[in-house]
Amino acid sequence: TVNIIKRFSKEAPAAMLFRGLFARVFSDERMDQIFRDHKERQIESPVVFSSLIHLLTPVISGGKPSVHASYQEREEQLGVSKQAVYDKLQGVEPAVSGALVKVPVAELAQVLAKAQATKPDPVPGYHTFVIDGKRLDGTEHRVLETRSMKSAPLPGTVLAMLDTRLEMFVDVACDPDSYACERKVVLPLLEHLEKGALYLADRNFCDGPLINHFLERESFFILRHHGRSPRWRKVKGSRLRKVGKDARGATVYEQEIEVVLPDGSWHRLRRITARLVEPTRDGDTELHLLTNLSTSVSAVMIADAYAERWTIETCLGHVAQALNAEINTLAYPGAALLCFCLALVLFNIISALKTLLSNFSSAAHVPALSYYYLALEIAEARLGIAIAIDDTYWKHCAE
């Protein structure tokens, strides 16, 4: 067994490290406890929650083409019909799917902290998080007549929070309504804001009530100004001042303004304007940013920091490219949201191993590691590792 482990570690190091990290953060007991702690109406059944995770993981990582194919491999272990599995999947509640992301990330964060492998803050001294959303795509199993319609039912909405130090998703809010207002779906995330931390978000999250959440929790924000929301006015005597150029060559201006809060009071903020060298993909030539950061943080640094918001879109892109996060055959919101959240968890584990491999490589020149090829190695080696190395080894690694 020792020789087999050494051989796999040499030939497929990413797959072995992934399997070890997965065992550490996702023991069967922990997965089933997540279900018990966060379920609201769904009852325990012969199909335990941990068995769903083991069933879906090879599909999402690319090792199996479909849930049905994965079920065929595990049919004897599951001991229930395929329909019973699908019934369990469609009944998984959004709170359980969200907890699946939030609970294990603490363990991964601890691993990176011990390895001193965290990334620098965009604004030094401010622990930074990025908030963004994803409306899940349509599936093959919608009503036939609606499959080609843009207005047809979709499986749900996921709003995610990315920790830029870890480059991991640390919190999510799920809603089975794909057309739900993002400003309402995001509210559970804002209940756990970190005092003194910095949050970046686009204009979909810029309004008086959301700004008030940040202020009440003594957090900092950089939000792209919606223009009409929240209602605002110029501060008397404050003029638009040119302050320099950001890293992308945009000319940066600053002005003090006031915005109206839900109680009708006015609160003073800084409004940063970046006049772009090239228009955005939406054709905008200027970006207007609202922030409550003190003047000790320059307007140019704020404009540069906002560029980090694209980090979450990049990470969501990696999730889409490297992982099968939106399984076409799962139309029920419960199943679709669970799969997407599990994909975020797998992304977090791959992100952690990518960081560890880069930081502790003994090679003179460490090549850029691709999420796609790491996921491909993991998928290709999965079955061989499962056959050759007994689960007791991974349980020992997790202790």
Side-chain angles (χ1 to χ4, degrees), residues 229-247:
S229 179
R231 189 156 55 92
W232 64 285
R233 65 189 183 191
K234 297 177 182 178
V235 172
K236 189 175 181 180
S238 175
R239 59 183 181 82
L240 190 67
R241 297 180 295 105
K242 181 179 176 180
V243 293
K245 291 184 180 292
D246 68 11

Side-chain angles (χ1 to χ4, degrees), residues 57-65 322-324 375 379:
T57 297
V59 184
I60 294 169
S61 64
K64 287 290 178 181
L323 300 167
N324 186 17

Side-chain angles (χ1 to χ4, degrees), residues 253 295-296 343:
Y253 300 81
T295 53
S296 62

